[in-house]
Amino acid sequence: MIDGEVGVAPESSFATFFELQYSAAVRGAYLLTGSRTAAEDVVQDAFRVVWERWAEIANPVAYLWRSLTNGARSWGRVERRPARLPTASQARGGDADELAVRSELERLPQAQREAIVLRYYLGLTDPEIAEAMGCPLGTAKSHVRRGLDSMRRALQ
Amino acid sequence: MTDLEDRLHRALSAIAADIDEPADLDATLAAITAELPEPVDVRRRRRRPVWLVAAAITVVGLGAVWTLAYRTGRTPDPVSDGRRLAGPVTKTIDGYGSITAKVETDGSMCWTAPSNGAAAYGCVDRATYESGRWWTTVSSSVGTILLGIGPVDRAVHVEIGGHTITADGDGFWWTVLTDSDTTFVITTTAGSHDEQLTATKTSPTPSPATSSPPPNTVVPASTTTAPSSPATGAVAPTADALPDGFVPTAAFRYEAPATDPGSASLRTVIARYSTDRTTVESEISFDVWPALSDAVFAEQFGEPNDTGEVVNGAPLLAVPSGFVWREPSRTVSVARTPDPPSAAGLAALAASTTTREDGAVEMIAPPDGWTVVESGVPTSGPSGTSWQIIYNGSESTDADFPELYIRRFANAGEPAEASLTMLGSHAVEVGGQRMIVIDLPSLRRTVNVVWDTSDGGRTEVSYRPINDVNPIDELEQTALRVAAGLRPVSEAEWAAFFDETAANAARRTTDAWLPGLLAANGLTQRGEPSVESMPALYLVPVTRADGTDTTCEITRRRLIACHDVDTVDGAELVDAQTVRVATTDPGVQHVSVVYPDQDRIGIGLTWSDDGVGLGVVIIDPARPAPDCVELIGSKNHLLRTIPISPATACTLNG
């Protein structure tokens, strides 16, 4: 167990933080980018930013998601659009819900896609989503709701 | 967490499972930390253990348990001392849905329930749960449901409206409240000792009047709902305020915890469908909130700009998602989907493209402000080489941007003309070139134009408009008109309105083309079709010319087969493009048609009234025909593999 009291070496606490968060972060980034390679790149960049500021930030988890979301957004915008998930046939068989969510996730506006992944995959709360997305709380809630409305119809 | 959210969570988790567990974390960590100098300052203040920080952001009701379970690789076991629920318990109430309750590791109890299409969550702390003397209400289309869950070792009786409800073996009790049910008494018995809680449901906000001990309901931020009365502030648009072509298509009630009143709202959605009702042309949603305080309003909407217009006596303020105004008793926000792109305009745009030397297709002259963000590096896939160029529009915001894709495929595969068989497709002619327009029936409407080229390839142009820029325009004037016509409704009217929206939404995929197709095949429709799966498979009750009845299967506007009663499991190659699968196994969730090279096409099933699950898969005639079908159950469990007739065995099994 890590305790951040005086004298704990930063690299050891970061290592534990990394170990706990890496897998979820890569998978979350994959849902945002649709690319394993991009997800790993984005996550490594995000952890790098966290490590760089490890001594300063109060909430490394929130900071990680913020960096990760920004990274995925930048990746999608500048480098290799679009954020397309492999189809089920490309990946493997998937159930009907999975097929529908793959398809709808791709269609969602980026902000709603981020909100849906942050809420329903990573389990963040509304304030945490707002922090991760860098937007007002009301906007984050709106993105979650509108994304969920779309998913509701896709899963009908 | 509602069933929808549960399904969404599971689907996202399944998709995320495309990524394997990382193999060598140490190397990755070393790569990250080696590139930067070590932070020099160890935080000098006491803080919570990191694992607690990680958990704290996820331990929020039932959904959090799943998230935490994912992260730690196990599901936290609830405390089980013989008095509490040993695990999640789900109760189904006819006509309403399922309520799930679970004891958390700290002994608190959380429940989740559907509430008019939205989520309702609640938690009570350990002491309250174990007392058995607490209650909450959930509003739904069947009325207001009063419920409670107590420890299993304590008999719980609730007296209400002259009758007594007894908790079941899991400690769960519930009833549908009537208007006269305002006071009830919850009695718990442990041994020979009785304790009572007398509670009163008042309108509009029920507030338990308690005897000892107080219910002490815990309301964690963002995850629970306070008890709320039905129809509080519910509104619906008046019919004469609806513009031509708009119909209500959805109604949601978003519950809110007492600690977060700004998150409560009632949402009404109206939409206008395309002529054949296959596509949402315009959609407007209204959120009606309680009159928000300045602080909550600022939190929700930031600092909106005054448009100079007035609605219902209040200034109309522009916000990123649309606009909002504040009346004395309520705050109303309006959002809309973007204007639909013009298919003809897109086709004209598509016609102004040229093929580069490297094979990619690009616009000769992109519109002003459009920039290339991906420039057509060729990639190889099952259908050969393809090139893609992507443009972003000038309207980009931090949240969204319009996108235009131009893709060229070296091999056309299935003719573009075949797209006409899909719902919502039609053809246009631009400069002598016949192009197939595909309107995807998605809420974020995407228009695709596809055409085959003389060299055996295909070009596809797709346009996705920006979603988060909402200038004050004609459509929003329409929204204002409707908003001004919102009227308060009772709970019964709200329920009726809810049903009406569901019916309207269900009818969006019209069968207007169906009678013509049936007539061309000598058939007459005699009942409503069942439409399920993706892509849609219609099961249509029909009468043949000789007067006999049967049921026909239709997909992508093609008549696949007509059968009186099909009770035989199997899969058959109907023609070079079509595989049909039938199963009577109710455990089958979906099927995958498997090509010899192991590539798969997965689809859901449409279930007939006879209990037969049917699926029709459109296959690529240019590839070796698939010879196997996998029948897959829940949790992606492979139930069995069957050959596709005329094959007699699956290569998978060899």
Side-chain angles (χ1 to χ4, degrees), chain A residues 1-11 13-24 26-27 30-31 36 43-44 47-49 51-52 54-61 65 73 77-82 84-86 88-112 116-117 119-128 136-139 141-143 145-146 148-153 155-156, chain B residues 1 4-5 7-9 11-22 25 28-29 31-33 35-51 53-54 56-58 60 67 70-71 117-118 222 249-250 252 254 260 262-265 267 269 283 287 289 299-300 321 335-337 373-374 388 390 392 396-401 403 405 407 440 442-444 464 467-468 508 534 589-590 592 599-604 632 636:
Chain A
M1 186 173 75
I2 301 301
D3 195 327
E5 292 198 51
V6 173
V8 174
E11 65 271 25
S13 58
F14 180 79
T16 303
F17 171 76
F18 176 83
E19 184 181 343
L20 285 169
Q21 300 295 333
Y22 183 79
S23 180
V26 170
R27 289 176 164 172
Y30 172 70
L31 292 171
R36 176 179 186 136
V43 167
Q44 289 195 21
F47 273 108
R48 195 168 288 127
V49 171
W51 168 242
E52 191 175 22
W54 184 245
E56 308 159 12
I57 52 181
N59 187 340
V61 176
W65 299 135
R73 203 177 289 169
R77 183 185 293 274
V78 177
E79 297 184 18
R80 287 176 263 177
R81 304 297 318 279
R84 290 270 158 88
L85 290 162
S89 63
Q90 288 172 314
R92 55 186 162 70
D95 68 16
D97 282 358
E98 183 185 334
L99 292 171
V101 170
R102 278 181 192 271
S103 174
E104 193 62 26
L105 203 60
E106 185 178 295
R107 294 188 186 122
L108 285 180
Q110 181 66 17
Q112 290 179 32
I116 288 293
V117 170
R119 162 60 63 80
Y120 295 108
Y121 180 65
L122 293 172
L124 303 195
T125 63
D126 285 338
E128 290 160 351
L137 178 60
T139 303
K141 289 179 178 178
S142 177
H143 288 318
R145 286 183 178 182
R146 295 176 72 180
L148 187 59
D149 288 349
S150 294
M151 286 295 177
R152 176 180 287 112
R153 297 181 191 213
L155 290 172
Q156 274 179 347
Chain B
M1 183 171 278
L4 168 73
E5 293 173 307
R7 290 166 61 195
L8 177 55
H9 172 80
L12 288 170
S13 298
I15 297 168
D18 288 352
I19 303 292
D20 300 329
E21 286 290 340
L25 277 179
T28 307
L29 176 62
I32 291 171
T33 55
E35 294 179 15
L36 291 168
E38 180 179 308
V40 294
D41 182 26
V42 177
R43 275 170 278 190
R44 294 291 175 184
R45 58 191 167 78
R46 186 183 184 90
R47 64 182 175 85
R48 288 177 294 174
V50 169
W51 66 271
V53 174
I57 68 165
T58 58
V60 283
T67 305
Y70 165 74
R71 289 180 177 170
S222 304
T249 56
F252 304 109
Y254 296 101
D260 189 14
S263 66
S265 72
R267 172 170 294 183
V269 182
E283 187 177 72
D287 278 294
W289 319 66
E299 182 184 69
Q300 291 287 346
S321 59
R336 69 166 179 82
T337 55
V373 294
E374 183 177 308
Q388 177 169 270
I390 304 173
N392 275 3
S396 301
T397 69
D398 286 342
D400 201 10
F401 31 83
E403 302 162 304
Y405 304 97
R407 300 186 188 91
L440 294 180
S442 165
L443 288 183
R444 187 179 188 191
R464 301 204 310 176
N467 219 31
D468 287 335
R508 60 180 288 197
M534 184 181 72
Q589 301 277 315
H590 64 288
S592 285
D599 193 15
R600 288 165 167 79
I601 303 175
I603 64 164
I632 300 168
N636 273 348

Side-chain angles (χ1 to χ4, degrees), chain B residues 554-584:
Chain B
I554 297 169
T555 189
R556 301 188 179 187
R557 303 189 186 184
R558 286 175 53 203
L559 185 62
I560 302 299
C562 297
H563 297 267
D564 292 338
V565 178
D566 188 338
T567 58
V568 179
D569 285 18
E572 60 181 317
L573 195 63
V574 177
D575 57 37
Q577 300 179 54
T578 315
V579 169
R580 176 179 177 276
V581 183
T583 179
T584 56

